[in-house]
């Protein structure tokens, strides 16, 4: 079959190409450009090759040490909030009513934290946790628990994690709820007739049907938590010490605090690459999870 | 395995206080024999699925009782009743293999593994699923999936009854025949009570020993296919079963005679004097009414259309305002569309307010 060749089609692609070039490709290339150079201000740049990248991956240098430490903290943070938010979101979705006016009430309540701007979330928790005037901090201290997120690393972590769980579990719950709603009643009736227990219903029907939305939920939550900046910055400012300094906070310190554009550019490229790779791995693993494997046990 | 008795069973989705006419299932009392093959036949919305869901326990009745072997099981949940049900659309547990799907109802009830394996193997053999036992169930065709659903319904040997809710809706026509005869064979093989809901009379008549016809929430007749054909207890059964359906026309009946459009038709039985104020009709199946050349003793009619069904031809004729379907004898042709109708008196039935009136021989 002959393909119709029509060069005019380029004109249709052109506007998108121009927009993407200005919004994504040019800025990205600028970052690539910076990452190869060093500057001492005054708009003077010096060629540095892959020097920054070498330093970045070497824990004995200042840049590498700070980067790898913040990366470790960030991965730990993402792992903890995923481990809490995904199961919790599923439980919330399962315990939501399936019909009636209470559905609307539940949805609105769940959506509320998602609608609050991130820096406001941070401010809310910053005040909420203060031992002198915050409801949470004051109550805990009155109860005899020495809670102070400004001076205690564990308290700072706990505050940031609880804040993220409060802010984002709703998203997982709403996605799971949508997945659950799409299961036809006949499945539940058949499971009843087959004598399935509550756990068997969850394992055989609900979880497999939620597979797709869970994949999306995990991806979104990983990316967001790995790029988290605003909320911990507002609450702890990365402290005490460097204990809650995540990669994005470190990046901003280097880029805007020290004005080390070369180091910051190299860091953000590596940061970007990590996010891409992890998402790709997640996606591949989870989409292949449902694919038929050669049967190991044969029949029943 | 059990005898199932329905005692004054009725259900309304609007609750017990709803007006009696709005009940999805009007009060019914009947018995389902152990080991029988039943079909529940009726048009959409006649209450047959409601009746099925009442027996399986998915729906709790507003009124009345259900007995399995004499024991009242009305308050029991679906899990505790010993019932299997197959739904209209295939229900497959996606993450399991075909074999695991079939074993699921047995495993949930703690049946020993050896027994589960033996039973799964037997059912898979009967349904030709053996080659697929180790495969994931998600990727199979719709009819293979429905076979798995059927298999899950049949796999338990101790069930009181297996209920089928229009299970062949999603199956291709030529496979329908195969699966239906398979079900029939399974019924003989497994000695299970089976109740099969359908709106397709061919399915009902070929599957069941006893066909229960429902109309507007009521059981209007329950009998063998031959009984439903020869002696419909209700005008609805008359025209719902048979193709084309029974001719039902208003008539005046007294003694051995019915008068239609001023013409007298002889009847096989004596009906005496029927109560005044009721709507009297006679019904005759097109198979027992044929057209002939116009003659003085025959009800004369005008042919409007001829349907050639292959195995037989039926003429649509008009007498006054009434329309009839009548068999056309092979080779019969008419010059001017005017014919006479010949009734077979043994097969003319009389209905008062839609219900069959038994005459005296």
């Amino acid at each position: 079959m002959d393909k119709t060749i029509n060069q005019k089609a380029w004109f249709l692609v052109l506007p998108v190409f121009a927009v993407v070039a200005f919004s994504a490709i040019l800025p990205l290339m600028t970052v690539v450009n910076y990452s190869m150079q060093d500057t001492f201000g005054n708009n003077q740049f010096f060629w540095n090759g892959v020097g920054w990248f070498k330093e970045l991956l070497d824990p004995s240098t200042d840049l590498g040490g700070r980067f790898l430490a913040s990366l470790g903290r960030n991965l730990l943070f993402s792992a903890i909030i995923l481990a809490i938010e995904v199961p919790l979101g599923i439980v919330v979705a399962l315990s939501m009513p399936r019909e009636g006016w209470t559905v609307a009430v539940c949805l609105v309540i769940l959506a509320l934290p998602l609608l609050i701007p991130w820096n406001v979330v941070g401010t809310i928790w910053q005040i909420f946790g203060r031992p002198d005037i915050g409801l949470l901090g004051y109550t805990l201290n009155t109860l005899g628990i020495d809670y102070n997120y400004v001076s205690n690393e564990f308290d700072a972590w706990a505050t940031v994690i609880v804040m993220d769980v409060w802010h984002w579990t709703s998203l997982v719950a709403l996605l799971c709820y949508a997945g659950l709603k799409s299961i036809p009643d006949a499945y539940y009736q058949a499971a009843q007739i087959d004598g399935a227990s509550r756990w068997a219903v969850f394992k055989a029907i609900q979880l497999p049907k939620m597979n797709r939305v869970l994949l999306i939920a995990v991806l979104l939550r990983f990316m967001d938590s790995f790029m988290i900046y605003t909320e911990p910055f507002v609450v702890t400012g990365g402290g005490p010490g460097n204990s809650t300094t995540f990669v994005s906070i470190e990046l901003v310190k280097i880029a805007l605090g020290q004005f080390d554009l070369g180091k910051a550019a190299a860091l953000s490229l590596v940061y970007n690459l990590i996010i891409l790779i992890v998402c790709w791995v997640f996606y591949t693993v989870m989409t292949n999870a449902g694919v038929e494997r050669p049967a190991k046990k044969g029949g029943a | 395995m059990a005898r199932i008795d329905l005692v004054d069973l009725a259900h309304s989705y609007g609750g017990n206080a709803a007006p009696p006419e709005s009940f999805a299932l009007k009060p019914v009392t009947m018995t389902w024999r152990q080991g029988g093959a039943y079909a529940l036949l009726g048009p959409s919305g006649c209450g047959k699925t409601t009746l099925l869901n009442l027996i399986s326990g998915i729906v709790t009745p507003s009124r009345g009782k259900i007995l399995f072997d004499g024991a009242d099981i009305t308050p029991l949940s679906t899990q505790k009743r010993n019932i299997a049900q197959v739904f209209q659309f295939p229900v497959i547990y996606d993450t399991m293999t075909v074999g695991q799907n079939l074993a699921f109802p047995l495993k949930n009830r703690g049946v020993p593994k050896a027994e589960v394996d033996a039973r799964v193997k037997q059912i898979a053999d009967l349904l030709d699923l053996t080659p697929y036992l180790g495969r994931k169930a998600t990727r199979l065709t719709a009819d293979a999936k429905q076979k798995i659903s059927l298999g899950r319904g049949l796999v338990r040997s101790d069930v009181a009854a297996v209920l089928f809710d229009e299970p062949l809706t999603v199956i291709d026509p030529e496979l329908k025949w195969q699966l239906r005869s398979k079900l029939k064979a399974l019924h003989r093989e497994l000695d299970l009570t089976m109740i099969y809901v359908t709106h397709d009379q061919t399915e009902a008549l070929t599957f069941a020993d006893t066909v229960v016809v429902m109309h507007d929430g009521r059981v209007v007749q329950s009998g063998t296919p031959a009984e439903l054909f020869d002696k419909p207890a209700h005008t609805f059964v008359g025209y719902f079963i048979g193709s084309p359906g029974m001719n039902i026309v208003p008539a005046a009946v007294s003694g051995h005679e019915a008068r239609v459009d001023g013409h007298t038709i002889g009847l096989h039985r004596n009906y005496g004097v029927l109560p005044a104020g009721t709507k009297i009709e006679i019904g005759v199946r097109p198979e027992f009414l044929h057209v002939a050349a116009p003659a003085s003793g025959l009800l004369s009619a005008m042919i409007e259309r001829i349907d050639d069904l292959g195995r037989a031809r039926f003429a649509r004729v008009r007498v006054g305002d009434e329309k009839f379907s009548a068999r056309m004898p092979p080779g019969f042709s008419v010059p001017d569309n005017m014919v006479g109708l010949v009734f077979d008196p043994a097969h003319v039935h009389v209905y008062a307010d839609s219900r069959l009136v038994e005459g005296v021989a």
Side-chain angles (χ1 to χ4, degrees):
Chain A
M1 226 168 45
D2 287 326
K3 275 187 189 165
T4 316
I5 293 173
N6 188 345
Q7 304 293 359
K8 278 183 216 147
W10 291 108
F11 288 105
L12 300 177
V13 183
L14 206 60
V16 179
F17 182 79
V19 169
V20 171
F22 275 101
S23 68
I25 299 173
L26 286 182
L28 187 68
M29 286 305 122
T30 316
V31 174
V32 171
N33 185 25
Y34 281 157
S35 73
M36 303 286 184
Q37 307 189 56
D38 194 6
T39 177
F40 303 104
N42 205 15
N43 217 9
Q44 282 184 305
F45 288 90
F46 307 92
W47 179 250
N48 190 25
V50 293
W52 296 132
F53 292 96
K54 278 187 182 159
E55 236 180 79
L56 204 57
L57 300 174
D58 180 359
S60 61
T61 62
D62 170 61
L63 178 63
R66 284 164 68 185
F67 168 64
L68 292 173
S70 64
L71 181 65
R73 284 191 285 270
N74 217 148
L75 288 175
L76 179 66
F77 175 73
S78 292
I80 292 175
I81 64 107
L82 279 181
I84 297 174
E85 287 175 14
V86 171
L88 188 61
I90 293 175
V91 170
V92 169
L94 285 175
S95 35
M96 276 177 67
R98 282 171 61 78
E99 51 197 2
W101 60 273
T102 43
V103 174
V105 175
C106 285
L107 290 178
V108 169
I109 291 174
L110 278 180
L112 277 180
L114 301 175
L115 298 175
I116 301 176
W118 298 357
N119 55 348
V120 177
V121 172
T123 311
I124 290 173
W125 281 82
Q126 202 258 354
I127 295 171
F128 190 45
R130 275 173 67 167
D132 51 350
I133 56 166
L135 185 63
L136 175 73
Y138 186 79
T139 312
L140 284 177
N141 280 292
T142 313
L143 291 173
I145 301 163
D146 183 21
Y147 167 82
N148 189 341
Y149 65 80
V150 183
S151 62
N152 184 312
E153 288 186 10
F154 179 83
D155 293 350
W157 267 82
T159 311
V160 173
I161 285 168
V162 170
M163 173 175 67
D164 199 81
V165 168
W166 174 84
H167 193 182
W168 288 112
T169 304
S170 297
L171 178 75
V172 182
L174 289 177
L175 284 169
C176 289
Y177 186 68
L180 285 175
K181 284 283 265 192
S182 69
I183 303 174
D185 274 343
Y187 276 81
Y188 294 111
Q189 295 173 349
Q192 263 190 3
I193 283 169
D194 289 340
S197 62
R198 184 71 194 78
W199 173 245
V201 169
F202 175 70
K203 229 178 67 170
I205 298 173
Q206 293 173 321
L207 195 56
K209 296 277 175 203
M210 279 195 291
N211 233 345
R212 292 267 148 195
V213 287
L214 271 181
L215 167 69
I216 294 169
V218 169
L219 270 180
L220 283 177
R221 283 316 302 131
F222 172 75
M223 285 193 291
D224 273 352
S225 65
F226 198 67
M227 297 189 294
I228 192 164
Y229 175 78
T230 318
E231 300 111 303
F233 182 77
V234 173
V235 177
T236 66
N242 275 331
S243 59
T244 53
T245 302
F246 300 119
V247 181
S248 58
I249 298 180
E250 198 69 84
L251 177 64
V252 173
K253 276 189 194 169
I254 297 171
L256 303 180
Q258 307 165 209
F259 209 69
D260 268 332
L261 289 184
K263 290 181 183 178
L267 197 157
S268 52
L269 282 179
V270 174
Y271 191 16
N272 198 2
L273 202 62
I274 294 173
I275 291 179
L276 280 180
I277 291 173
V278 175
C279 287
W280 179 77
V281 169
F282 259 125
Y283 186 78
T284 316
V285 168
M286 294 190 73
T287 44
N288 285 348
V291 173
E292 192 164 338
R293 275 166 301 218
K296 279 170 260 164
K297 287 187 290 178
Chain B
M1 289 174 221
R3 191 185 79 238
I4 300 174
D5 292 292
L6 310 180
V7 183
D8 195 28
L9 189 71
H11 185 70
S12 161
Y13 291 100
N16 212 356
E21 270 316 300
S22 76
F23 270 54
L25 179 72
K26 276 110 189 169
V28 56
T29 297
M30 65 185 299
T31 298
W32 312 76
R33 205 173 65 247
Q34 137 61 20
Y38 291 91
L40 266 177
L41 177 65
S44 302
C46 73
K48 53 197 195 308
T49 299
T50 303
L51 179 53
L52 204 67
N53 288 343
L54 287 172
I55 296 175
S56 67
I58 290 171
V59 176
T60 311
S62 311
R63 203 186 293 167
K65 283 191 291 193
I66 304 167
L67 313 178
F68 285 4
D69 275 338
D72 187 358
I73 53 95
T74 323
L76 293 188
S77 69
T78 304
Q79 281 104 326
K80 299 215 175 85
R81 292 178 191 199
N82 219 351
I83 282 283
Q85 185 165 0
V86 179
F87 296 89
Q88 191 168 3
F89 296 100
V91 173
I92 294 298
Y93 302 115
D94 294 339
T95 49
M96 302 184 195
T97 63
V98 175
Q100 286 164 338
N101 258 286
L102 292 179
F104 192 62
L106 297 177
K107 273 201 180 143
N108 285 328
R109 289 179 172 78
V111 177
K113 185 159 186 334
E115 218 172 294
V116 172
D117 288 350
R119 187 70 183 173
V120 165
K121 194 177 168 312
Q122 184 196 357
I123 295 296
D125 278 344
L126 289 170
L127 287 169
D128 305 323
L129 284 172
T130 313
Y132 304 107
L133 276 180
R135 294 250 309 258
K136 273 263 159 72
T138 18
R139 308 247 162 149
L140 301 175
T141 56
D143 49 280
K145 283 184 177 175
Q146 189 64 327
K147 273 202 213 167
I148 298 170
S149 299
L150 289 172
R152 274 211 323 277
L154 299 168
V155 76
R156 286 158 58 202
S157 51
D158 60 339
V159 286
V162 187
L163 314 180
F164 299 95
D165 190 358
E166 311 198 20
L168 301 183
T169 312
V170 292
I171 311 288
D172 286 343
E174 76 260 39
L175 280 169
K176 260 188 196 174
W177 275 101
Q178 287 178 21
L179 271 180
R180 203 157 53 220
S181 24
K182 192 122 256 173
L183 272 183
K184 188 91 178 147
L186 286 169
H187 175 251
R188 282 192 292 266
E189 186 103 357
L190 299 173
D191 189 33
L192 294 169
T193 308
M194 294 189 180
I195 303 176
Y196 188 107
V197 161
T198 179
H199 58 249
D200 179 338
Q201 50 164 311
T202 326
E203 260 179 54
L205 299 176
T206 48
F207 172 77
D209 316 328
T210 308
V211 177
V212 178
V213 183
M214 293 190 67
H215 172 51
D216 195 21
R218 278 194 183 83
V219 172
V220 287
Q221 188 172 8
S222 152
T224 63
E227 282 167 2
L228 297 184
F229 187 80
D230 290 339
K231 214 173 168 189
H234 191 278
T235 50
F236 174 77
V237 180
Y239 64 73
F240 192 69
I241 288 179
S243 174
M246 197 180 212
N247 298 300
I248 290 158
V249 289
V253 172
S254 67
H256 272 93
E257 286 176 346
R259 290 187 71 79
V260 175
D261 197 33
H263 174 84
T264 302
I265 298 163
L267 296 171
H268 210 55
R269 288 158 174 264
N270 184 357
Y271 290 88
V273 179
L274 292 168
T278 53
K279 184 177 70 172
I280 305 295
E281 288 159 311
I282 60 165
V284 59
R285 289 208 173 272
E287 287 80 358
F288 303 116
L289 173 67
H290 68 87
V291 296
S296 62
L298 300 179
L299 181 60
S300 57
M302 191 177 73
I303 295 190
E304 292 193 321
R305 190 173 90 225
I306 294 169
D307 294 336
D308 195 336
L309 302 184
R311 62 191 155 80
R313 285 189 302 161
F314 287 96
R316 305 279 171 165
V317 301
R318 176 190 274 283
V319 177
D321 288 336
E322 300 302 331
K323 289 181 177 176
F324 288 85
S325 288
R327 192 165 50 83
M328 286 193 80
F332 181 85
S333 65
V334 277
D336 59 353
N337 281 350
M338 290 307 290
V339 289
L341 293 178
V342 183
F343 289 80
D344 178 349
H347 289 97
V348 178
H349 300 293
V350 175
Y351 295 91
D353 280 346
S354 300
R355 298 192 175 280
L356 182 70
V357 182
E358 294 281 356
V360 184

